[in-house]
Amino acid sequence: MENIIELKNVTKRFEDDGSAAVKDFNLSVKRGEFVTFLGPSGCGKTTTLRMIAGFDTPTSGSILLDGRDITALPPNKRPINTVFQRYALFPHLNIYDNIAFGLKLKKIKEDEIRKKVTEVLEIVDLAGFEKRSTSTLSGGQQQRVAIARAIVNEPEVLLLDEPLGALDLKLRQVMQRELMRIKKEVNITFIYVTHDQGEALTMSDRIVVMNKGIIQQTGDPVSIYDEPQNAFVADFIGESNIIDGIMVRDRLVKIQGVDVPCVDTGFAENEAVDVVIRPEDLDIVEEGAGFIDGLVTEVIYEGAYYDIRVMAGDYEWHIQSNMSATPGKKAGLAILPDNIQIMHKPRSSDEEIIEKD
Amino acid sequence: MKKKLLDLVSRFYFIIIMFFLYAPILVMIVLSFNNSRSRVVWGGFTLQWYKTLFSNRQIREAFFFTIGLALLSAVIALLIGTAAAFGIHAMRRRGYAIMMGVTNIPLLNADIVTGIALMLWFIRFLPLGSGSVLIAHVTFNIPYVILALLPKIEQMNMAIYEASRDLGATAVRGFFTMILPQLTGGLLSGFFMAVTMSMDDFMITYFTRGAGVNTLSTMIYGEIRKGIKPEMYALSTVIFAAVFLILICVNFWPSNRKAEKRREGII
């Protein structure tokens, strides 16, 4: 598969104070891929998307579409369309005219426009809504119109800027599945921006985790979740116990003074490391049966599991288990070597963490 | 009992206010139809003062000059003020505060100070005449346009402009189809405010006009110095009616209402 979008050393600095919103961003997106920019607000994900759309121009670096440099091209000249955060439907136009807006500008014949609009309304499950006014639609329906308005132009790339952010949880989950179906149907490259890790894990072929304008990790959902490359990614994607450790030698790590077998290799002997353990990978066992003992401080029933806190030494472990425990009692924690993830300590502040392959 | 008294007092207060505000204007309007030169005796209804008013060439000229001046100065102020409002909107906090201060000065400044200052300036650079009056009116009209427009620009929905660009509209087309319609209300109220202010002005016009150039207000002033004639009541009534009409237009203009509703729909 060839690359459709390439970002090369893209940096965006704010005009007012010169601080960088995006720093030295490098990424290739393959044709037909579903790529998600994931990160907390202010991490530069939306700025990056706006640069691809053409609303912002990079301070330095270049953006390529199909190998052609489009860095200086205005948004109306790019075969790229956007689904905006708050939909941005045209309030003075009805659904039909909203969707036909781009086609009319392209001087396409009226009967062909009509055909395309009808088709796309069917794709987004809004057949027969042509004459309705945008203000009569629910949030989810407005979202579908926004998607239809973008994909009817058959763009090379569809950009989606937190499109589900304004919807409630239930509708968000429905729309996630809808988006994946639409993606399959129209076969357009999707670049999706969200701060919701669940959304990113569900839909994406590839996730780009960003923080403070820097790519922290790029990979498919499984590798991002199972093998976070630094503490930021581990903390941001799902919940984690992140604790200091010392890599005694290959496949052996010392956590809270206890040697625990693991599967990681390639670290220096006695290197200080970050140890990441997902709460669902820890098991509550009898006192003394695990690698460490602690005092159960809190047990909350969450339906599918118990959310348990265990104080061991000066660290409060977070456990999600289908076994309950008794608060105030001692208990042991057990873990399979496979489920321990060892990470290098960041060299300096988290701002300096860069992608490691 | 106490409530009744309070009611009475507030009603009395209201009547007093209305009386002092509007009774003089009402008296003037009535006198403009009075078939007698007396200011106290009612001599029956007549339109003769209006007739003599409009048969007076000087007054007719002043009337058309006033209207023309108001419209032209409002249009020019609208163009400059709109550009200024967009510029100020794009400024950062510091520049914004400074520019708003600068904008407010002509509004708060005593008219006589503005008038004399402009006069001094004009004497140095160009002959006083209708041109200098026009420039003066544009000058004091610009702040009204900015003040009417800036809040509308601030609450404007920029996303739909970006959406139109994204779907293939050029910057110019996006501006005219997405941004301008959102500003119609502000533009109209700025324009009418400017027209009203221009028609209303006496002081600045008085200082910046040349010989032989007269708006209605400077005309009335000149006439009244020679003695108060009932034609002047008629003339003042005409000005009052014109300004009143414009005010009604500003408040009840249909597209003003529609724009309001549309914005609410967006937000």
Side-chain angles (χ1 to χ4, degrees):
Chain A
M1 280 199 294
E2 84 271 45
N3 292 331
I4 182 150
I5 287 278
E6 279 172 83
L7 290 100
K8 290 189 170 161
N9 308 101
V10 170
T11 296
K12 174 73 181 175
R13 289 185 185 284
F14 289 121
E15 278 166 38
D16 1 6
D17 55 356
S19 68
V22 177
K23 282 184 217 162
D24 199 29
F25 194 102
N26 283 288
L27 182 74
S28 300
V29 178
K30 293 187 176 66
R31 188 179 289 280
E33 210 177 2
F34 193 134
V35 173
T36 299
F37 297 166
L38 175 66
S41 61
C43 74
K45 56 191 191 301
T46 296
T47 308
T48 309
L49 197 80
R50 290 175 59 83
M51 287 191 285
I52 300 173
F55 300 129
D56 287 334
T57 37
T59 315
S60 62
S62 51
I63 299 170
L64 274 59
L65 176 86
D66 261 336
R68 190 165 58 101
D69 191 325
I70 58 160
T71 316
L73 220 56
N76 49 317
K77 296 265 171 65
R78 300 186 185 199
I80 295 172
N81 288 113
T82 309
V83 176
F84 291 86
Q85 196 161 18
R86 309 280 308 187
Y87 324 135
L89 300 179
F90 306 131
H92 56 294
L93 301 178
N94 65 18
I95 307 294
Y96 178 88
D97 289 326
N98 258 284
I99 296 172
F101 190 89
L103 299 174
K104 281 181 181 165
L105 284 173
K106 285 189 195 130
K107 305 262 185 291
I108 290 172
K109 278 199 225 96
E110 187 64 42
D111 50 339
E112 187 155 347
I113 293 180
R114 193 161 293 280
K115 207 179 114 224
K116 285 190 176 202
V117 172
T118 313
E119 265 176 30
V120 82
L121 275 174
E122 230 149 77
I123 292 177
V124 298
D125 217 7
L126 283 180
F129 274 62
E130 285 92 340
K131 292 276 170 284
R132 294 272 291 268
S133 134
T134 54
S135 57
T136 65
L137 301 187
S138 70
Q141 288 170 329
Q142 289 188 41
Q143 183 57 69
R144 287 162 196 265
V145 175
I147 293 166
R149 186 179 67 176
I151 61 177
V152 78
N153 300 289
E154 292 161 23
E156 298 275 335
V157 181
L158 185 70
L159 308 178
L160 302 104
D161 185 6
E162 307 220 14
L164 309 183
L167 305 178
D168 61 62
L169 179 67
K170 202 86 186 162
L171 197 53
R172 213 151 60 215
Q173 288 166 345
V174 174
M175 282 306 293
Q176 284 174 19
R177 256 171 262 131
E178 281 286 282
L179 270 174
M180 288 159 75
R181 177 184 62 78
I182 291 168
K183 162 101 180 44
K184 220 174 270 170
E185 230 166 289
V186 295
N187 199 26
I188 296 172
T189 311
F190 275 34
I191 300 181
Y192 192 97
V193 159
T194 184
H195 63 265
D196 184 322
Q197 37 121 351
E199 223 165 88
L201 293 170
T202 309
M203 295 192 287
S204 324
D205 296 324
R206 200 144 57 101
I207 297 174
V208 179
V209 185
M210 294 178 71
N211 189 32
K212 299 189 177 172
I214 297 170
I215 297 181
Q216 303 292 326
Q217 188 172 352
T218 308
D220 61 73
V222 175
S223 73
I224 293 273
Y225 189 84
D226 285 348
E227 291 145 36
Q229 280 169 358
N230 61 47
F232 173 81
V233 177
D235 198 36
F236 192 74
I237 314 279
E239 287 172 273
S240 287
N241 296 289
I242 302 173
I243 185 164
D244 292 333
I246 291 166
M247 206 62 190
V248 181
R249 54 173 189 269
D250 278 356
R251 300 192 177 82
L252 192 65
V253 62
K254 194 189 281 286
I255 306 168
Q256 292 193 309
V258 185
D259 285 345
V260 184
C262 61
V263 294
D264 294 78
T265 56
F267 291 83
E269 240 172 65
N270 291 323
E271 185 185 336
V273 291
D274 279 331
V275 180
V276 174
I277 298 173
R278 298 283 181 195
E280 68 268 26
D281 290 336
L282 282 165
D283 280 320
I284 290 277
V285 291
E286 291 284 313
E287 189 182 349
F291 67 92
I292 202 162
D293 289 332
L295 189 69
V296 179
T297 52
E298 192 181 84
V299 178
I300 295 168
Y301 180 59
E302 292 277 5
Y305 57 86
Y306 292 91
D307 200 277
I308 304 166
R309 308 278 164 164
V310 172
M311 197 73 193
D314 56 356
Y315 188 81
E316 187 173 59
W317 290 87
H318 182 193
I319 304 117
Q320 288 170 355
S321 164
N322 48 13
M323 304 278 284
S324 187
T326 320
K329 286 252 172 84
K330 284 257 183 186
L333 298 180
I335 178 109
L336 295 172
D338 226 15
N339 290 331
I340 298 176
Q341 173 75 13
I342 310 287
M343 299 178 312
H344 291 281
K345 286 268 188 199
R347 271 154 290 190
S348 55
S349 74
D350 56 345
E351 214 174 321
E352 300 306 315
I353 298 167
I354 46 168
E355 192 181 354
K356 286 174 245 149
D357 273 319
Chain B
M1 190 62 206
K2 197 178 162 197
K3 192 178 172 291
K4 254 191 185 161
L5 194 75
L6 217 70
D7 228 40
L8 208 74
V9 169
S10 69
R11 196 166 294 185
F12 181 71
Y13 178 71
F14 176 73
I15 289 169
I16 290 276
I17 291 272
M18 293 311 275
F19 183 78
F20 278 104
L21 269 180
Y22 294 110
I25 297 173
L26 202 69
V27 168
M28 184 198 72
I29 292 173
V30 169
L31 284 179
S32 77
F33 295 108
N34 187 7
N35 195 3
S36 153
R37 286 196 171 267
S38 163
R39 260 165 268 161
V40 279
V41 182
W42 177 248
F45 181 83
T46 181
L47 286 174
Q48 65 158 310
W49 310 123
Y50 288 88
K51 221 182 287 165
T52 46
L53 185 69
F54 285 107
S55 58
N56 182 330
R57 197 177 58 88
Q58 258 186 311
I59 292 179
R60 230 177 25 235
E61 268 172 16
F63 176 78
F64 287 119
F65 181 67
T66 306
I67 301 282
L69 177 69
L71 294 178
L72 191 60
S73 70
V75 167
I76 298 173
L78 197 65
L79 294 175
I80 299 175
T82 305
F86 273 102
I88 293 171
H89 171 66
M91 282 178 175
R92 285 176 233 309
R93 199 175 300 159
R94 209 183 141 75
Y96 187 97
I98 292 171
M99 278 317 292
M100 284 316 286
V102 171
T103 302
N104 280 327
I105 289 173
L107 292 179
L108 303 172
N109 205 3
D111 277 0
I112 193 162
V113 177
T114 310
I116 292 175
L118 284 171
M119 178 189 70
L120 288 173
W121 193 250
F122 289 147
I123 291 173
R124 173 70 185 77
F125 293 108
L126 79 170
L128 294 181
S130 46
S132 61
V133 176
L134 179 65
I135 296 176
H137 278 229
V138 169
T139 309
F140 71 71
N141 273 341
I142 290 173
Y144 290 101
V145 174
I146 294 175
L147 287 183
L149 209 54
L150 205 54
K152 309 284 177 194
I153 294 178
E154 236 112 82
Q155 56 188 240
M156 193 170 59
N157 178 352
M158 269 307 280
I160 63 168
Y161 167 75
E162 289 193 339
S164 78
R165 296 296 312 278
D166 189 68
L167 293 166
T170 59
V172 174
R173 199 196 174 94
F175 177 80
F176 280 105
T177 55
M178 296 299 154
I179 290 184
L180 211 55
Q182 293 189 62
L183 300 178
T184 325
L187 286 169
L188 274 175
S189 64
F191 175 77
F192 282 120
M193 208 129 74
V195 168
T196 319
M197 288 303 147
S198 167
M199 293 201 5
D200 217 30
D201 178 69
F202 164 74
M203 201 65 87
I204 295 171
T205 314
Y206 186 75
F207 281 104
T208 54
R209 81 205 166 100
V213 177
N214 258 326
T215 63
L216 284 175
S217 48
T218 59
M219 170 116 239
I220 293 172
Y221 181 72
E223 290 293 315
I224 277 176
R225 278 203 304 188
K226 290 180 223 157
I228 298 169
K229 283 187 271 175
E231 289 97 317
M232 292 304 113
Y233 306 151
L235 186 52
S236 304
T237 304
V238 169
I239 297 178
F240 174 77
V243 171
F244 192 66
L245 212 71
I246 293 171
L247 269 177
I248 290 176
C249 281
V250 174
N251 286 311
F252 295 100
W253 195 272
S255 68
N256 225 350
R257 286 275 171 103
K258 221 165 89 189
E260 208 86 24
K261 269 194 199 139
R262 194 179 291 161
R263 253 195 318 281
E264 279 160 23
I266 295 164
I267 301 161

